């Protein structure tokens, strides 16, 4: 038994030294204090990493199909009336959503950015005694009103009872409304008077667009849009204006649901138009993103990068459509963020590495300082004897 214990004792890698042989120095105490502080600091840092989740990033090819892309926007036009702004969406598959109104909201604002209360629609304009009927005659007292579409009707029975109905019928035909006062519905509703009353106002337009997950564009521009000879144009004649101020501020623009750490580079971006004509273009690269929480909640969203290009009345001879355009394309790579906790064994390994590493390095430093001091002391002593 004694032989076994003696063999076990011979394997001791930590031989003990008698305290009588210890030599404690002032420099050793300072190094011990500093190394203890460093070990404590690194231990607290490692403990924080252990207690909080870390995020891992992986890249893979996006193989999803048939999904929708959600666009959240909030844009302020300080010098463009709400009544003349329209929102259009088009993609490379040929699908178009013109003058989108679903989930799109407009707020009239004054020159100081304050919201103006919405006026009642009952104000109207000049009353038309006998408006034009769809059959070409005037409304009689014993007839039911069915307004004329002024040649833009798709069927003989179609009625256009409001200025918006007539403008929409014209849009479908690819026609422009040159003089709204020549249309009874627009005249009775005071279409031009409304635009004049809103002169000097701005508009805050915000909402959500649900579109196909393919490349395309959406834009904010004055006037109703339509196709003419396979070209997308906007009808600007009814407003009887020579210029439109497209100065704007993007309060918010995102693609999909928000998730922790997301950065939307266009939030707060602003552009001021200094000429009578302006066109802002934003070229957006959308990156599909998946964020997986610790509680197994999964957020399907997107990140994006953007480049900007602005055109003014002085940049070319041919004027394109005034407006704010967002051209977006989709990246084939999907980014996945996954939250996870560091394992206890990993935490324990790091703590041991911190303690052992700092202890070893401080021992080397202490040995260097101690032997250096001894060498200097010996040289001084030899100098005195000589």
């Amino acid at each position: 038994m004694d032989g076994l214990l003696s063999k076990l004792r011979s394997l001791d890698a930590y031989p003990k030294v008698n305290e009588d042989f210890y030599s404690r120095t002032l420099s050793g105490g300072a190094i011990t204090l500093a190394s203890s502080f460093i070990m404590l600091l690194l231990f607290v840092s490692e403990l924080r990493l252990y207690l909080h989740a870390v995020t891992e990033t992986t890249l893979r090819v996006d193989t999803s199909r048939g999904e929708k892309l959600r666009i959240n926007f909030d844009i302020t036009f300080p010098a463009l009336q709400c009544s003349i702004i329209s929102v259009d969406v088009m993609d490379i598959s040929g699908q178009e959503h013109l003058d989108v109104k679903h989930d799109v909201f407009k707020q009239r604002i004054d020159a100081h950015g304050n919201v103006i209360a919405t006026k009642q629609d009952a104000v109207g304009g000049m009353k038309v005694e006998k408006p034009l009927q769809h059959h070409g005659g005037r409304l009689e007292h014993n007839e039911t009103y069915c307004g004329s579409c002024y040649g833009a009707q798709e069927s003989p029975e179609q009625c256009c009872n409001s200025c918006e109905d007539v403008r929409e019928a014209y849009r479908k035909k690819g026609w422009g409304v040159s003089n709204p006062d020549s249309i009874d519905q627009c005249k009775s509703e005071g279409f031009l008077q409304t635009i004049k009353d809103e002169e000097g106002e701005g508009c805050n337009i915000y909402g959500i667009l649900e579109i196909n997950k393919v490349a395309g564009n959406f834009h904010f521009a004055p006037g109703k849009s339509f196709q003419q000879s396979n070209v997308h144009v906007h009808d600007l004649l009814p407003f009887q204006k020579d210029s439109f101020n497209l100065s704007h501020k993007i309060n918010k623009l995102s693609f999909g649901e928000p998730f922790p750490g997301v950065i939307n580079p266009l939030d707060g971006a602003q552009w001021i138009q200094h000429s009578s004509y302006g066109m802002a273009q934003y070229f957006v690269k959308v990156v599909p993103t998946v964020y997986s929480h610790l509680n197994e909640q999964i957020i399907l969203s997107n990140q994006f990068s953007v480049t900007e290009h602005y055109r003014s009345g002085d940049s070319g001879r041919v004027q394109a459509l005034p407006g704010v355009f967002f051209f977006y394309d989709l990246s084939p790579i999907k980014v996945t963020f996954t939250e996870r906790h560091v394992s206890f064994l990993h935490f324990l390994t790091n703590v041991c590495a911190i303690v052992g590493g700092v202890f070893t390095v401080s021992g080397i430093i202490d040995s260097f300082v101690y032997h250096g001091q001894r060498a200097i002391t010996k040289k001084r002593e030899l100098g005195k004897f000589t």
Side-chain angles (χ1 to χ4, degrees):
M1 187 67 179
D2 293 337
L4 180 63
L5 292 177
S6 64
K7 287 183 177 180
L8 183 62
R9 190 180 297 112
S10 67
L11 296 175
D12 185 8
Y14 310 99
K16 312 304 182 290
V17 182
N18 196 308
E19 291 186 3
D20 295 337
F21 297 100
Y22 284 150
S23 177
R24 302 185 185 277
T25 61
L26 181 63
S27 60
I31 291 173
T32 301
L33 188 63
S35 61
S36 299
F37 176 75
I38 293 173
M39 277 192 284
L40 179 62
L41 191 65
L42 293 176
F43 172 77
V44 171
S45 175
E46 193 64 32
L47 182 63
R48 289 182 60 188
L49 289 175
Y50 172 70
L51 296 177
H52 293 80
V54 295
T55 305
E56 289 185 344
T57 305
T58 57
L59 303 176
R60 57 171 58 93
V61 176
D62 185 13
T63 58
S64 59
R65 294 183 299 174
E67 294 183 354
K68 290 289 186 179
L69 183 63
R70 172 175 172 168
I71 302 174
N72 311 293
F73 64 89
D74 183 351
I75 303 178
T76 299
F77 294 88
L80 198 63
Q81 304 100 300
C82 286
S83 58
I84 67 177
I85 300 179
S86 64
V87 183
D88 299 333
V89 182
M90 297 176 288
D91 59 44
I92 59 173
S93 67
Q95 189 169 358
E96 296 182 348
H97 302 277
L98 305 180
D99 197 13
V100 180
K101 292 184 170 61
H102 183 66
D103 288 334
V104 175
F105 306 93
K106 298 177 182 178
Q107 286 184 324
R108 295 167 54 204
I109 57 175
D110 59 21
H112 303 287
N114 301 316
V115 177
I116 302 173
T118 304
K119 294 193 299 183
Q120 296 181 355
D121 294 334
V123 175
M126 185 182 300
K127 185 178 179 181
V128 179
E129 293 293 337
K130 293 184 177 182
L132 189 66
Q133 288 279 70
H134 72 289
H135 52 66
R138 292 289 176 175
L139 177 66
E140 301 296 335
H141 67 278
N142 58 348
E143 277 188 301
T144 302
Y145 180 57
C146 179
S148 171
C149 296
Y150 293 84
Q153 63 273 8
E154 296 179 341
S155 64
E157 294 79 18
Q158 181 180 352
C159 300
C160 295
N161 294 338
S162 66
C163 183
E164 182 66 19
D165 291 343
V166 178
R167 294 178 66 203
E168 181 65 18
Y170 268 55
R171 184 192 67 78
K172 291 180 179 179
K173 287 284 189 179
W175 300 348
V177 180
S178 58
N179 182 15
D181 276 346
S182 64
I183 298 173
D184 292 343
Q185 294 90 324
C186 297
K187 188 175 182 179
S188 62
E189 293 175 12
F191 177 79
L192 289 178
Q193 187 61 42
T194 300
I195 296 175
K196 292 178 181 178
D197 293 342
E198 294 181 2
E199 191 70 34
E201 293 182 5
C203 185
N204 173 232
I205 181 168
Y206 62 94
I208 299 171
L209 299 174
E210 290 279 352
I211 58 179
N212 295 327
K213 195 175 178 181
V214 295
N217 81 84
F218 63 97
H219 56 265
F220 305 84
K224 275 190 171 293
S225 58
F226 55 89
Q227 291 289 336
Q228 190 175 68
S229 301
N230 295 322
V231 177
H232 181 80
V233 297
H234 280 243
D235 183 15
L236 306 181
L237 292 176
F239 308 123
Q240 300 181 356
K241 298 180 65 174
D242 296 329
S243 63
F244 298 91
N245 190 341
L246 272 299
S247 300
H248 61 277
K249 180 180 180 181
I250 303 175
N251 305 307
K252 174 185 176 183
L253 180 68
S254 63
F255 294 79
E257 298 291 335
F259 60 89
V262 63
I263 298 176
N264 298 315
L266 281 178
D267 287 2
Q270 191 171 1
W271 177 61
I272 305 299
Q273 177 179 320
H274 298 288
S275 61
S276 60
Y277 159 77
M279 179 181 185
Q281 296 174 311
Y282 299 92
F283 299 91
V284 179
K285 191 72 171 182
V286 181
V287 182
T289 304
V290 178
Y291 195 95
S292 179
H293 286 273
L294 280 173
N295 57 6
E296 298 184 353
Q297 178 189 358
I298 296 177
I299 300 177
L300 301 178
S301 187
N302 301 276
Q303 303 176 85
F304 70 93
S305 61
V306 63
T307 55
E308 306 167 6
H309 178 67
Y310 304 108
R311 296 176 59 183
S312 63
D314 303 326
S315 63
R317 297 179 179 178
V318 179
Q319 293 187 356
L321 173 68
V324 179
F325 291 77
F326 296 87
F327 300 90
Y328 57 90
D329 195 6
L330 294 161
S331 170
I333 301 299
K334 177 185 289 186
V335 180
T336 302
F337 297 106
T338 305
E339 289 184 350
R340 68 172 185 86
H341 271 307
V342 176
S343 67
F344 179 74
L345 288 178
H346 188 274
F347 167 71
L348 189 61
T349 302
N350 286 351
V351 170
C352 292
I354 289 170
V355 174
V358 174
F359 185 80
T360 302
V361 172
S362 60
I364 294 172
I365 296 174
D366 177 65
S367 177
F368 177 77
V369 172
Y370 174 70
H371 291 293
Q373 287 178 341
R374 286 190 62 183
I376 293 173
T377 303
K378 285 183 179 180
K379 286 183 178 181
R380 286 177 179 176
E381 291 176 351
L382 288 173
K384 287 181 181 180
F385 287 116
T386 56

